[in-house]
Amino acid sequence: MEKTAEFYVVKRGDTLSKIAVMYHVTLDQILEWNPQIANPDVIRPGQRIRVAAPETQGEYEPFPGADFFQSSVTSPVIEAMGYRLIEEGCSAYADGPDSQWSEADRKSYSNWQQKLGFRGQDADGTPGRKSWERLHVPAVYE
């Protein structure tokens, strides 16, 4: 039975080599598709790993505009953003991200903005184009 998922969530005891075998890809492909992995020997439970080549429509989500990030918005783009923030070490999530914009998303995104060197109002947790484009949120195909 062939797996068709684009991402795999790391579990305790996983290695990139084991994940590559599980998805019938090479370790080099996993590393190519996951440029955020600085050391292939260090992965964490909960980390999302791309296990299939990105589709050609575009590898990353385009900036949806600051008005998109409100508590009334529910979208898989928000969840994908949350997992990228976790991968970047910017998490303020108690239970992990979901598809509805929340205070935990805002705090996590503020951590990302601060990591990039933004300060004051530029690090208020509302995504802006510059910080969004540097986060490289994987494209979500709804």
Side-chain angles (χ1 to χ4, degrees), residues 5-66:
E6 283 186 69
F7 292 93
Y8 174 79
V9 178
V10 175
K11 294 175 183 59
R12 186 176 304 280
D14 281 340
T15 66
L16 288 180
S17 295
K18 286 181 188 177
I19 294 168
V21 167
M22 195 173 4
Y23 284 88
H24 308 289
V25 297
T26 67
L27 178 57
D28 285 342
Q29 286 173 309
I30 295 275
L31 293 172
E32 177 185 336
W33 299 331
N34 294 276
Q36 77 279 7
I37 298 175
N39 181 344
D41 296 323
V42 179
I43 57 174
R44 299 173 314 282
Q47 184 176 355
R48 277 178 26 124
I49 306 291
R50 181 178 285 281
V51 293
E55 293 190 27
T56 57
Q57 289 178 331
E59 187 173 353
Y60 303 117
E61 274 297 322
F63 179 61

Side-chain angles (χ1 to χ4, degrees), residues 9 45-47 79 82-83 86 91-100 102-105 108:
V9 178
Q47 184 176 355
E79 187 173 15
Y83 281 110
I86 291 169
S91 176
Y93 299 103
D95 299 316
D98 63 22
S99 59
Q100 184 167 13
S102 69
E103 182 63 12
D105 292 307
S108 297

Side-chain angles (χ1 to χ4, degrees), residues 113-141:
Q113 290 166 322
Q114 291 172 45
K115 183 176 179 176
L116 293 177
F118 294 108
R119 298 290 177 257
Q121 198 170 30
D122 292 336
D124 66 359
T126 300
R129 183 174 302 280
K130 283 184 182 180
S131 59
W132 181 266
E133 289 176 355
R134 291 181 64 188
L135 186 56
H136 297 143
V137 175
V140 174
Y141 303 104

